[in-house]
Amino acid sequence: MTAPTDLLLATEQAPDALAPVAASGVFVLIAVMILVPLVSSALLVLGDGPRFDLADKRGHLLGTAASLASFVIGVVLFVTLLGRDAGDRSIEQNLFAWIHVGGFQVDMTFLYDPLSALFVLLITGVGTLIHVYSIGYMEHDPRRRRFFGFLNLFIAAMLTLVLAGDYLVLFLGWEGVGLASYLLIGFWQHKQSAAVAAKKAFVVNRVGDVGLALAIMLMFAQLGTTSFVGVAEGIEQVSSGTATALGLLLLLGACGKSAQVPLQSWLLDAMEGPTPVSALIHAATMVTAGVYLVVRSNFIYEGTEAARTAVVVVGLVTLIAGAWIGCAKDDIKKALAGSTMSQIGYMMLAAGLGPAGYAYAIFHLITHGFFKANMFLGAGSVMHGMDDEVDMRRYGGLARLMPLTFGTFAMGYLAIIGFPGFSGFFSKDRIIEAAFAENVFVGIAAALGAGVTAFYMTRLMIMTFLSSRRWKENAHPHESPAVMTAPLVVLAVASVLGGFLVLGGWISDWLTPVTGYETHELAVPAWVFSVGITVLVAIGVAVAWATYGRRDVPSTAPEKVSFVTRAGRRDLYGDAVNEAVLMRPGDQATRGLAVFDRIGVDGAVRAVTGGIGATSSLLRRAQTGFVRSYSLTIFGGALIVLVAVLAVNLA
Amino acid sequence: MTDHYITLSLLLFTIGAVGVLVRRNAIVVFMCVELMLNATNLAFVTFARAHGNLDGQIAAFLVMVVAAAEVVVGLAIIVSIFRTRRSASVDDASLLKY
Amino acid sequence: MVTFWTLAPIMVLAALGVVLARKAVHSALLLAVVMISLAITYASQGAPFLFAVQIIVYTGAIMMLFLFVLMLVGVDASDSLVETIKGQRMMALVVGLTFGVLVVLVVGQGVVGVSVGLGEANANGNVYGLAALMFTKYVLAIEFTAALLITAAVGAMVLAHRERLVPRRSQREESARRLQEYAETGRHPGPLPTPGVYARHNAVDTPALLPDGSPSELSVSRVLRARGSVREGFEGDVGQTLRQLDPDDPTSTIGGSTPRRGGSGRTEES
């Protein structure tokens, strides 16, 4: 990455970025924010049995109320934080000493700063909307109470993750969201595919978790602390090699959680979960935890160019791969999942650009959280009306029958493709600009990604809401109830307006205390980029329209397709590669070890025991039980002693 | 002369030992044990004379006392075994084996 | 010297007899011979006290105990000289001979140089000398011996004592049991026949004759039977008379060399 410092017009370092003040006043509510959904979750999940009829009937209300309570607290804290000086916006709440062992000291610390504050609002805000939506979506599910319990557990874990003041506390939340994700993907565990998908997500996530765990151990080994403040202070003393190792290990963790190449394979399968779960966990919040981790660890990446480059490369590859997959899928949720991968690739890319990109990574993360949640919920609404049909080739012409869903989905659509004025337009443009400033090729690739995004999203829109009707015979599409459409409307509004966070540079100013900020010099004025990207988007839309809008869409996927499409349909052979490189050899190794264990280890042990047993059964023959035999032995012994004495005397 | 007595003692001892090994009647076995004890007593007494002090005779006396005690207990054991097993053969009491 | 050469052959022969005698009583008597000879040897070696003790304790007490127990236990298969353990006798002989030869050749020769003699030690008399040692130097050992003797006495009592576990059966119960047994197994409820009944002799080794003239083994003590000292030979008694009366009577073969087991439906109960 060529980032000549003389090109930087202004560099605002984070002044005392991590010098938090103790929590006081209203900020003591930080822990309460986590505790409320946690307690609610415990009540809902554990409150089983006939005595808890009420929990079955009204449990969803409790869950939604818990999430809403967290959101209200989040808003109050946010407003309070707004009223503070930029330098005082980092608040630390130390609950209790968690682990104090010798030199290793971990406190249960929460850090509430501008970055966390945005995440809290996103998680609890979108979370609450999705709770409300789920009331309608899961209405007929006999285990709705449990579902809301898991959702609350997720909210609590995710809040722990973003509010943690220590990497180990973060890890606690990190594993918590992994658990919640596992439980929710496999919520319909009676479906084989759902159970397998949940297991896959869990296993792949563990690979990433190993990276994060190793990073935390390395921190402790090198710095003796794992708190953000301690690591930020100590990181300057460690060698660049250690910093690079830390950066790469954290990136591995981020890859696992955020479904970045090469740990992307679980996200598409994760769509087996209920749609609200896909919207909340696998689009809006949890999968962006990797981006949060990278941004939060900006002090580590500051000292290591190599790790930053790795982040950029991973982001870029995922961006392209996700878009590719998104183009080829006919399953509406999987197409959206590919899109999610791609958008998170943008965020990663931005996060890898350093202080120039952190703010825009978070900005895109927030806008993406709005419009992608909006679209997932819209997709859920469509499925709800179409008897859980997910194949887009069996949709078509739904715009008239589901006007509200269509309208809100269209807002999300315009936002994601970057239609001027919508939120995605602002957030994606900034990232592409920053990419160009960093490296022309990265910028070109990112811009092309925007064009492809426009293509596949347009394809999705056309196949679902426009074009001819290709429904199955017994399908009776209908608009969803108000409890489901209301969140859609709110999220649609957010999708449209989210972009205004950037006006006047608010988002970058807001985050500067945490991440620092650099503006970058562009070779051409910014509007040239905006126009250029908009033109690319328009081309993507036009191509999609030419391909799908003007011709009839076949109701079954065509078999004879190009390699590109086939690869996309098969997730770019990610599963095949995993299977060939990891699963098969692992299987073989396991089998080999089992054989070795059975023949080698067990054989040796059995041979020894058998040998001893055989020798014993031979030797025990000497124990005849006859006193006279024993006497003979004694007498013989006396004879031997006599001979020995004689021999000694003669010698 | 001393050597002759010692030789006699050793002969008696060996005969007794062989008797222990070959006889099956517990009482005869016991008698052979007594024979061995007596042979050692003879050696003690002979050595006492050879060394010119009475310690050997004391030892022989102690052996006699111990032998008396041993015979009492041993014969009691034989009687009680005979009572339960109707046999005085040392080979019949051979349950404690492999 | 004369004492030694007189007694030594007797002792060795008697000891060999102890080992080789077929009957335990003979072993016991031969052992007594060895012990008395030993006592004399002690006396000739300046140990008059041990001479007395040997006679009294060994020959008097211990040997009598042996004989007493022999009487109690009686005779059984263990008296047989047939070896049951394979190779035991062979090995015993080999080891014994080797041991004897080696020990006699090596230890018996020259372990003691010149014999000092007990003239000085027995100056005040043998008993006085022993007592002086016993109550000074060996007083502790003697005390322990006392404890040992008491323990042995108690132990013998415990071993020989038989605890009564069930109440003694009354005469009535006993007769009921006998008839019950007769009903179940056919065992005769009456007492065993006494020896000598209807026989020419009424000694304990003469089996009773049953009404048909055959001898009843049950009438003779088990020990006598085991020893094989049951008197036979009815050939010359009843049989001969019967033949004289009626040479063609087939019953004249009764009382032959193979006495039948008891009649009247009795079964032999070993």
Side-chain angles (χ1 to χ4, degrees):
Chain A
M1 293 293 130
T2 54
T5 43
D6 55 346
L7 276 181
L8 302 176
L9 283 183
T11 302
E12 274 187 77
Q13 277 303 324
D16 298 328
L18 290 158
V21 294
S24 60
V26 71
F27 290 107
V28 296
L29 290 173
I30 292 170
V32 177
M33 201 153 54
I34 297 172
L35 213 56
V36 169
L38 192 65
V39 170
S40 161
S41 159
L43 285 175
L44 290 175
V45 174
L46 303 177
D48 209 344
R51 281 181 299 146
F52 292 91
D53 272 356
L54 191 65
D56 278 338
K57 283 186 200 134
R58 296 275 175 267
H60 53 281
L61 296 182
L62 172 64
T64 311
S67 181
L68 186 63
S70 287
F71 178 61
V72 169
I73 296 173
V75 168
V76 170
L77 294 185
F78 182 71
V79 170
T80 319
L81 199 68
L82 273 177
R84 287 195 162 205
D85 286 341
D88 294 342
R89 281 178 184 163
S90 195
I91 292 110
E92 189 179 60
Q93 188 181 26
N94 191 340
L95 278 191
F96 53 86
W98 186 18
I99 302 169
H100 276 198
V101 182
F104 185 48
Q105 310 228 321
V106 178
D107 293 322
M108 187 56 86
T109 316
F110 295 124
L111 181 68
Y112 186 77
D113 65 0
L115 180 59
S116 310
L118 287 180
F119 265 92
V120 166
L121 287 181
L122 177 71
I123 294 160
T124 54
V126 176
T128 305
L129 288 173
I130 289 175
H131 272 79
V132 172
Y133 178 91
S134 303
I135 294 176
Y137 191 85
M138 302 296 284
E139 193 175 1
H140 303 298
D141 195 296
R143 300 192 304 155
R144 180 168 65 170
R145 170 181 57 79
R146 182 178 288 257
F147 180 80
F148 276 84
F150 291 160
L151 276 188
N152 275 183
L153 174 65
F154 170 77
I155 297 281
M158 191 71 199
L159 287 174
T160 311
L161 198 165
V162 298
L163 285 170
D166 188 296
Y167 276 101
L168 207 64
V169 181
L170 181 144
F171 193 66
L172 184 71
W174 189 269
E175 293 300 316
V177 294
L179 170 68
S181 161
Y182 168 77
L183 292 171
L184 286 166
I185 294 172
F187 185 72
W188 288 322
Q189 56 203 218
H190 52 84
K191 275 174 28 188
Q192 169 79 8
S193 56
V196 171
K199 194 169 75 178
K200 184 175 181 181
F202 202 74
V203 170
V204 176
N205 264 298
R206 291 288 82 69
V207 178
D209 293 349
V210 168
L212 182 53
L214 284 177
I216 294 172
M217 292 174 206
L218 189 60
M219 282 170 204
F220 171 64
Q222 291 287 329
L223 305 169
T225 175
T226 56
S227 73
F228 291 151
V229 179
V231 173
E233 278 170 4
I235 195 71
E236 282 158 21
Q237 275 93 53
V238 302
S239 67
S240 65
T242 309
T244 306
L246 275 177
L248 291 177
L249 287 170
L250 288 173
L251 175 62
L252 179 61
C255 281
K257 198 55 88 188
S258 292
Q260 301 293 291
V261 174
L263 299 178
Q264 84 290 1
S265 63
W266 64 273
L267 184 60
L268 290 160
D269 289 357
M271 296 302 138
E272 288 291 341
T275 305
V277 172
S278 308
L280 176 60
I281 301 184
H282 305 121
T285 53
M286 187 193 84
V287 285
T288 58
V291 179
Y292 170 79
L293 182 67
V294 173
V295 173
R296 173 58 84 192
S297 309
N298 58 76
F299 39 81
I300 293 175
Y301 286 97
E302 208 165 274
T304 162
E305 190 79 6
R308 278 219 305 269
T309 310
V311 176
V312 169
V313 170
V314 163
L316 201 59
V317 170
T318 313
L319 189 167
I320 306 290
W324 189 345
I325 293 171
C327 292
K329 289 288 183 185
D330 290 331
D331 181 326
I332 185 168
K333 283 178 75 182
K334 294 207 169 172
L336 285 173
S339 156
T340 304
M341 265 176 71
S342 176
Q343 299 303 314
I344 297 171
Y346 272 113
M347 297 170 210
M348 274 292 184
L349 170 60
L353 295 176
Y358 290 139
Y360 299 127
I362 299 301
F363 179 38
H364 192 55
L365 192 157
I366 291 166
T367 57
H368 172 258
F370 290 146
F371 60 68
K372 188 52 69 60
N374 175 20
M375 283 193 288
F376 258 112
L377 294 185
S381 175
V382 169
M383 287 159 57
H384 194 72
M386 293 290 286
D387 279 345
D388 288 333
E389 177 63 66
V390 291
D391 189 354
M392 290 192 290
R393 291 184 185 276
R394 310 300 303 206
Y395 291 166
L398 293 177
R400 290 188 176 191
L401 289 160
M402 303 182 174
L404 211 49
T405 305
F406 171 65
T408 52
F409 201 98
M411 295 302 116
Y413 161 72
L414 292 174
I416 192 174
I417 66 171
F419 194 81
F422 285 77
S423 58
F425 172 75
F426 296 105
S427 58
K428 207 183 287 180
D429 264 17
R430 294 303 165 107
I431 292 177
I432 296 171
E433 273 174 33
F436 264 110
E438 188 85 358
N439 184 304
V440 178
F441 298 107
V442 175
I444 290 173
L448 281 177
V452 180
T453 306
F455 170 79
Y456 67 71
M457 287 313 299
T458 310
R459 171 179 177 268
L460 191 150
M461 277 299 279
I462 291 171
M463 287 173 81
T464 305
F465 291 104
L466 308 173
S467 73
S468 59
R469 298 177 174 182
R470 301 177 303 277
W471 312 337
K472 284 184 178 164
E473 286 157 11
N474 50 2
H476 304 291
H478 55 274
E479 185 57 272
S480 299
V483 73
M484 286 167 71
T485 48
L488 287 177
V489 173
V490 176
L491 284 169
V493 171
S495 306
V496 176
L497 301 181
F500 297 127
L501 287 176
V502 81
L503 291 185
W506 181 83
I507 185 87
S508 45
D509 287 349
W510 174 254
L511 289 175
T512 297
V514 184
T515 62
Y517 181 61
E518 291 171 3
T519 51
H520 38 70
E521 170 78 347
L522 290 167
V524 289
W527 63 268
V528 175
F529 281 104
S530 298
V531 170
I533 293 163
T534 310
V535 167
L536 271 173
V537 166
I539 291 172
V541 171
V543 171
W545 178 255
T547 317
Y548 296 97
R550 294 174 58 186
R551 277 180 278 164
D552 278 346
V553 180
S555 59
T556 52
E559 293 292 325
K560 289 183 182 173
V561 288
S562 64
F563 169 75
V564 178
T565 314
R566 252 182 297 153
R569 280 184 187 164
R570 296 197 52 192
D571 307 347
L572 302 183
Y573 301 108
D575 288 341
V577 168
N578 281 349
E579 213 164 272
V581 175
L582 302 171
M583 192 205 95
R584 293 257 165 70
D587 238 24
Q588 295 294 336
T590 314
R591 230 170 273 154
L593 280 178
V595 169
F596 174 73
D597 183 56
R598 205 171 51 240
I599 294 173
V601 178
D602 285 9
V605 171
R606 291 218 183 95
V608 169
T609 53
I612 290 174
T615 317
S616 306
S617 52
L618 274 180
L619 286 178
R620 72 177 190 175
R621 293 279 149 201
Q623 303 294 318
T624 55
F626 294 121
V627 171
R628 293 189 295 141
S629 298
Y630 303 155
S631 318
L632 182 59
T633 318
I634 295 170
F635 198 34
L639 178 61
I640 290 170
V641 171
L642 187 66
V643 171
V645 169
L646 181 61
V648 169
N649 277 347
L650 285 181
Chain B
M1 197 59 224
T2 306
D3 289 346
H4 293 101
Y5 279 110
I6 295 299
T7 307
L8 176 63
S9 155
L10 293 171
L11 272 179
L12 291 179
F13 182 87
T14 311
I15 291 169
V18 172
V20 168
L21 297 184
V22 299
R23 292 306 296 257
R24 280 191 294 153
N25 189 328
I27 299 169
V28 179
V29 169
F30 221 0
M31 287 189 234
C32 292
V33 172
E34 292 306 315
L35 185 59
M36 289 163 77
L37 286 171
N38 272 297
T40 56
N41 275 355
L42 176 59
F44 273 128
V45 172
T46 307
F47 283 130
R49 190 168 67 110
H51 291 292
N53 60 37
L54 294 175
D55 293 45
Q57 292 192 12
I58 294 281
F61 178 69
L62 290 176
V63 168
M64 284 181 195
V65 176
V66 171
E70 177 221 344
V71 163
V72 168
V73 175
L75 288 177
I77 289 172
I78 287 173
V79 167
S80 68
I81 286 179
F82 182 80
R83 207 185 268 156
T84 53
R85 308 180 70 97
R86 312 304 299 173
S87 163
S89 167
V90 286
D91 286 359
D92 285 354
S94 65
L95 285 180
L96 189 65
K97 59 183 173 188
Y98 57 84
Chain C
M1 196 67 196
V2 178
T3 327
F4 177 81
W5 287 115
T6 316
L7 290 176
I10 295 174
M11 272 195 267
V12 172
L13 286 177
L16 284 173
V18 169
V19 175
L20 296 176
R22 178 178 294 268
K23 292 182 181 170
V25 183
H26 297 170
S27 293
L29 291 175
L30 287 167
L31 187 61
V33 170
V34 176
M35 286 176 173
I36 291 167
S37 309
L38 275 175
I40 298 167
T41 318
Y42 294 164
S44 76
Q45 292 207 83
F49 178 70
L50 284 183
F51 162 79
V53 172
Q54 176 84 1
I55 296 285
I56 295 167
V57 171
Y58 261 120
T59 323
I62 293 180
M63 283 321 298
M64 289 314 110
L65 203 55
F66 267 111
L67 287 172
F68 187 67
V69 171
L70 260 179
M71 276 161 51
L72 258 183
V73 168
V75 197
D76 62 11
S78 64
D79 272 3
S80 145
L81 285 176
V82 178
E83 183 55 60
T84 48
I85 305 176
K86 202 176 141 195
Q88 169 80 10
R89 183 170 291 174
M90 187 67 197
M91 284 304 292
L93 282 178
V94 169
V95 174
L97 276 177
T98 320
F99 185 87
V101 170
L102 273 182
V103 89
V104 167
L105 283 181
V106 179
V107 183
Q109 304 299 322
V111 285
V112 181
V114 183
S115 180
V116 176
L118 283 171
E120 197 178 332
N122 278 346
N124 290 329
N126 178 250
V127 177
Y128 182 89
L130 281 175
L133 275 176
M134 262 184 220
F135 292 106
T136 55
K137 195 175 172 185
Y138 292 103
V139 67
L140 198 61
I142 298 294
E143 294 289 347
F144 280 129
T145 329
L148 177 73
L149 281 171
I150 291 170
T151 314
V154 172
M157 268 155 57
V158 168
L159 281 168
H161 178 68
R162 191 157 25 167
E163 198 74 35
R164 174 161 285 283
L165 298 171
V166 290
R168 185 188 290 274
R169 276 195 291 259
S170 67
Q171 195 110 19
R172 185 184 185 81
E173 285 164 345
E174 185 70 15
S175 64
R177 184 188 66 79
R178 284 193 183 189
L179 283 172
Q180 180 72 29
E181 206 174 63
Y182 176 64
E184 283 167 1
T185 66
R187 179 187 162 130
H188 195 270
L192 292 172
T194 47
V197 180
Y198 298 126
R200 291 267 302 271
H201 308 273
N202 60 356
V204 285
D205 61 346
T206 311
L209 288 183
L210 296 169
D212 62 351
S214 60
S216 167
E217 275 206 352
L218 286 173
S219 62
V220 187
S221 160
R222 187 178 57 82
V223 175
L224 292 179
R225 250 182 289 142
R227 282 196 192 135
S229 54
V230 177
R231 185 188 291 258
E232 292 177 9
F234 296 98
E235 197 64 31
D237 298 344
V238 182
Q240 195 178 19
T241 317
L242 280 174
R243 262 197 303 281
Q244 284 169 357
L245 289 173
D246 182 3
D248 298 326
D249 189 358
T251 57
S252 63
T253 54
I254 58 164
S257 55
T258 52
R260 292 223 304 273
R261 290 194 168 168
S264 65
R266 255 172 191 279
T267 52
E268 172 75 9
E269 88 280 21
S270 158

